[in-house]
Amino acid sequence: MNKRELVDAIADRVGDKKTANEAVNAVLDAIQKAVAGGDKVSITGFGAFEMVHKPARTARNPSTGAPIKVAESWAPRFRPGADFKEQVNAGGKKSAKRK
């Protein structure tokens, strides 16, 4: 599912594509700004978005084996909640039975 399909799915529930698009954009913007600002965003039953630090390290070029210095960075992380995990697990079991 991409963003357009998500907007369409929400529009079916709220009845208006413009309102659905604004809602999706507002939620995504709020999550991105909060996480970029160092806050953790927890949505009960769905999961948590947070920023994690990746320290500087030395890696290896797979072709030559030469060491490469990788700078430190910050990255977003999503950890699914228990309800979300249960739903995905149940969906996976259904998919496996169809194959």
Side-chain angles (χ1 to χ4, degrees):
M1 175 180 275
N2 61 30
K3 185 176 177 182
R4 185 176 357 158
E5 293 167 338
L6 178 61
V7 169
D8 290 342
I10 293 172
D12 290 342
R13 295 184 69 176
V14 298
D16 178 9
K17 200 169 193 173
K18 182 179 178 186
T19 304
N21 189 45
E22 289 174 1
V24 168
N25 287 336
V27 168
L28 295 177
D29 186 53
I31 291 171
Q32 289 172 345
K33 284 182 180 176
V35 172
D39 293 332
K40 180 177 179 179
V41 178
S42 296
I43 303 170
T44 304
F46 182 71
F49 299 88
E50 60 189 336
M51 183 170 50
V52 294
H53 179 251
K54 295 183 175 187
R57 62 186 173 87
T58 302
R60 295 231 175 251
N61 180 329
S63 299
T64 65
I68 301 171
K69 291 187 178 188
V70 178
E72 75 172 345
S73 64
W74 293 87
R77 175 183 290 162
F78 174 73
R79 292 183 316 175
D83 293 345
F84 188 23
K85 286 181 187 178
E86 285 177 26
Q87 227 176 352
V88 170
N89 189 34
K93 289 178 182 176
K94 290 178 187 175
S95 295
K97 288 180 182 178
R98 285 187 256 157
K99 291 181 180 181

